[in-house]
Each structure stands twice: as C-alpha cells, then as structure tokens.
Amino acid sequence: MVEEFVFDNTEERRKHRKNGAGWVEVIVGSMFSGKSEELIRRLKRAQIARQKVQVFKPKLDDRYSVEEIASHSGMTHVSNPVMTAQELLDRIKDDTEVVGIDEGQFFDIGIVNAVNQLANDGKRVIIAGLDQDYTGKPFEPMPQLLSIAEFITKTHAICVRCGETANYSQRTFESEALVEVGASGKYEARCRRCFVPHSDAPTVL
Ligand code: ADP
Ligand code: ZN
C-alpha cells in the first residue's frame, strides 16, 4: 500500500514572501482523491489568516453555472464560474492575496500564463485538477501546470474494487466524450490493477 498523503507544515513556512513574489501550488489526483477537500482546507485557513481570497471554477457552458466549489464529502466554498483563463484574469482584484482554482483540467491552455502572471504579481495560486482523463492519459493543461508549480501535492483515492491506493478515474458507462458534465455516480476510483483503460470498459471484470 502506498502511504497516504501526510500534511506537513510547509504551508506555514511559506507565509513569508521575502521578495514579494507569489508562487503556484498544484493539487492533482484521480476523482474522489480529496483534491477539492484539500483546496477548500487551504482556502479556509487563508481566510482565517484574514487574507483576501478569490476562488474560480470553469463554466463549461452557459447552463452550467455553479457559485461554489464542493467536495464529494460535502465541504463547500464560494466560487466564481468563468469561461476562460482570460476572464479569470479580468476578474482578479488588485488586493487579492490568494487565488484558488478548482477543476483546472477544464481550463484552456491560457491558464498556464494566467497562473504565472498571478504568481509574478505576488499572489499565492492554488489550483486543483485531474491529472489523467478517464483513459489514463495526461489531462491537459494539468501537466503544464505541474511543470511551472513550486509545490505539488498528489492525492490518492481508495480503489472501490480492492481497497488499494487508487490513481485512476474509471468511467463506468459508455461515452466517447472526454468530458461528461454532471456525470456524478458514473465514475469510480480504481487502482492500477483494477483500472480498465478503454472508453468501452465493462463495469464487471
Ligand atoms: P476530488 O476533488 O479529488 O474528486 P473530493 O475532495 O471531492 O475529491 O472528495 C473526497 C472525499 O470523497 C473523501 O474524503 C471521501 O469522503 C469521499 N470518497 C468517496 N469515494 C471515495 C473513494 N473511493 N476513495 C476515497 N474517498 C472517497
Ligand atoms: Zn484495485
């Protein structure tokens, strides 16, 4: 069994920005691995420290407009839905100190420059997202975000088949679409041995 993610106190040590620069933290893992929980935990702590926080989530189409980010365990945080990385940048306020972004995998590639710009401007940017799609391929732009991040956290779920550490999001229904909005209940966390990396994967092995 791979060891579970253990939180250290790096977050506390990072509070002092001696040269005024910000930084980028990326949280990646499969579905149900606790990415949103970890993002929300960090954002709530920043607010307790009275820092100015803004949170964003991609708006995938005109109908899909959620005003909060939510974890599978019920934790929530208010957020602004945005269509593009440029819209996110346009909405940033000068005095914002911490920028949280959930579902980073659904942003356009412009998010990489946007995140760099925010960090260069002195902001702490925390971005969570799926690092692999349902076929097990790297889910862009997360690989690019991992490359530019100062800090990376990999979260793991529990395989629903065998209880091992899960690193994959298994789609349990047939669809060729890369993104299935509102498909909760149609994915499950699986380990390397139990994951079937095909779009037409059977639900029973
Ligand atoms: P993510 O953002 O990575 O999809 P969330 O933060 O939304 O993850 O949800 C994590 C929570 O999901 C866990 O704390 C747990 O309560 C719940 N959960 C449901 N299924 C699983 C699973 N197979 N493995 C781990 N956690 C699970
Ligand atoms: Zn398994």
Side-chain angles (χ1 to χ4, degrees):
M1 178 76 105
V2 179
E3 269 187 40
E4 291 298 315
F5 164 65
V6 179
F7 179 69
D8 63 23
N9 69 348
T10 345
E11 190 184 357
E12 310 303 317
R13 296 200 302 270
R14 289 177 212 155
K15 277 182 186 154
H16 304 284
R17 293 176 256 190
K18 290 194 182 108
N19 65 0
W23 64 85
V24 179
E25 300 168 32
V26 174
I27 304 165
V28 288
S30 68
M31 288 183 73
F32 306 103
S33 64
K35 300 183 297 298
S36 300
E37 273 178 0
E38 179 57 19
L39 174 64
I40 293 167
R41 192 187 69 81
R42 291 184 196 183
L43 294 172
K44 287 197 192 298
R45 288 172 64 87
Q47 280 175 323
I48 290 168
R50 296 196 179 81
Q51 294 168 352
K52 292 241 170 14
V53 174
Q54 276 191 280
V55 185
F56 298 92
K57 183 172 177 155
K59 186 171 162 183
L60 298 179
D61 59 42
D62 287 337
R63 288 165 299 148
Y64 188 69
S65 166
V66 269
E67 305 293 334
E68 59 181 26
I69 56 173
S71 76
H72 290 104
S73 53
M75 289 171 72
T76 60
H77 197 290
V78 289
S79 92
N80 302 292
V82 287
M83 293 288 276
T84 62
Q86 186 59 50
E87 186 185 347
L88 186 154
L89 275 183
D90 293 344
R91 290 208 189 188
I92 295 286
K93 296 174 185 148
D94 281 348
D95 62 351
T96 293
E97 295 165 278
V98 180
V99 178
I101 305 170
D102 202 7
E103 307 279 13
Q105 76 279 358
F106 292 146
F107 274 94
D108 56 280
I109 194 73
I111 195 71
V112 182
N113 282 340
V115 159
N116 260 334
Q117 193 177 316
L118 293 170
N120 292 344
D121 285 349
K123 302 188 195 307
R124 172 186 179 194
V125 184
I126 317 170
I127 179 160
L130 285 168
D131 49 0
Q132 298 172 76
D133 64 23
Y134 74 99
T135 70
K137 292 200 188 75
F139 207 149
E140 294 193 359
M142 296 315 293
Q144 288 83 352
L145 290 167
L146 286 166
S147 305
I148 62 155
E150 272 91 348
F151 304 99
I152 295 170
T153 300
K154 177 95 181 193
T155 49
H156 302 96
I158 305 300
C159 176
V160 297
R161 286 289 167 107
C162 73
E164 265 294 344
T165 298
N167 189 36
Y168 298 96
S169 309
Q170 179 77 58
R171 184 176 277 183
T172 55
F173 66 105
E174 288 186 27
S175 167
E176 295 300 317
L178 183 63
V179 177
E180 284 285 341
V181 181
S184 71
K186 295 177 175 173
Y187 293 89
E188 51 187 48
R190 299 254 186 116
C191 72
R192 184 175 291 278
R193 199 162 289 284
C194 299
F195 176 62
V196 184
H198 308 295
S199 59
D200 58 350
T203 53
V204 179
L205 293 176

